[in-house]
Amino acid sequence: MKFGELYSVVAAALAANFNSILDVSSFMRIKKTNAWITQTNNEANKKGNELYAKFIKDESSAALCDDFVILKSKFEASYYFSSAKDDLAQFYKAINFQSKMGEIDSISNQLVLIANILKSEASKESMKLLAAFSVSFFLPYAKQLSRDIQKDATSNFYKSMGYFLEDFCLVLETIIGKA
C-alpha cells in the first residue's frame, strides 16, 4: 500500500469515528484489532496507541456513547470558527465536493475530502489543493480539536482518537511540506 493510500485509510477511519456513535458491529470489529492502523515515532501516536490498547482491553460501548454525545458539538468547525460553515460550503462548491457525513463543517467531511485527495494519483494540482485546504481550513481546526478531545474525553477510545488526529496532522504537515 502506498503512503498516500495508507493515510487515506487513516483519514477515512478517523472520519467514521467522529461521524456517529459506533454501532455494535463496528465496536466489535474494532475491539478485535490489536493496534491502530499506523505506528509512527510521534509522541502523539505512541500515546494514542497506549490509550487504544486500554480501550481494546477493557472499555465498554456505553463509555464511547457517552463521550460522543459530550464531544459531538466540537466535531463541527463552527464550534471554533463562526464562519466555518459558509467558508467550507464555498470551498466545497468551488472544487465540486459533496459533503457526505453530517454537517458541512464536520471534521468527518474534511477528513473524507483529504482521504479522497490522498487516494488519488498524486499530481501537482492535487497536492496544491491538499496544501491549500489543509492550511486554510483543516489544520487550524483539527489541531484545536485534537487538543480538546485529549483534554475533555473520558473514554480511552476518544482520547486515543484525539492523539491519532494530532498524529495525522503532523503527518499531513510533512506531506504538504513536500508539495
Side-chain angles (χ1 to χ4, degrees):
M1 183 179 286
K2 294 178 183 175
F3 187 77
E5 289 173 346
L6 172 63
Y7 276 89
S8 76
V9 170
V10 172
L14 287 169
N17 292 335
F18 293 134
N19 185 51
S20 61
I21 295 171
L22 292 177
D23 61 32
V24 174
S25 63
S26 297
F27 178 79
M28 296 309 293
R29 183 179 31 79
I30 290 171
K31 286 288 252 185
K32 291 178 183 175
T33 64
N34 333 350
W36 182 242
I37 303 164
T38 58
Q39 310 294 316
T40 68
N41 289 325
N42 294 328
E43 286 304 312
N45 186 276
K46 291 175 186 176
K47 182 68 175 172
N49 272 297
E50 177 185 310
L51 291 164
Y52 195 77
K54 288 179 183 178
F55 149 70
I56 290 170
K57 183 178 178 198
D58 59 16
E59 200 155 63
S60 72
S61 63
L64 276 60
C65 291
D66 291 346
D67 234 7
F68 182 85
V69 170
I70 292 166
L71 297 168
K72 185 176 180 352
S73 62
K74 294 178 182 179
F75 297 159
E76 296 171 7
S78 56
Y79 180 88
Y80 299 97
F81 306 102
S82 60
S83 66
K85 273 190 180 167
D86 292 337
D87 294 345
L88 284 163
Q90 288 178 336
F91 184 82
Y92 292 163
K93 185 177 180 180
I95 64 167
N96 202 27
F97 174 75
Q98 298 293 318
S99 59
K100 298 174 181 16
M101 296 180 144
E103 295 295 321
I104 198 159
D105 64 326
S106 72
I107 188 71
S108 296
N109 277 319
Q110 294 181 50
L111 287 160
V112 166
L113 173 60
I114 291 170
N116 288 339
I117 294 169
L118 289 173
K119 76 179 175 185
S120 66
E121 280 296 315
S123 68
K124 196 170 196 166
E125 293 78 30
S126 66
M127 289 293 97
K128 283 174 72 174
L129 175 63
L130 179 62
F133 176 73
S134 298
V135 171
S136 300
F137 298 103
F138 181 75
L139 288 170
Y141 165 50
K143 286 179 177 183
Q144 183 60 51
L145 175 61
S146 70
R147 288 188 294 270
D148 285 353
I149 294 171
Q150 292 167 20
K151 178 177 59 86
D152 297 338
T154 57
S155 67
N156 289 315
F157 178 78
Y158 278 105
K159 279 192 183 293
S160 71
M161 291 302 113
Y163 284 100
F164 292 139
L165 181 58
E166 178 184 347
D167 180 59
F168 183 81
C169 289
L170 292 168
V171 171
L172 185 61
E173 287 176 321
T174 301
I175 292 169
I176 64 175
K178 295 176 181 175

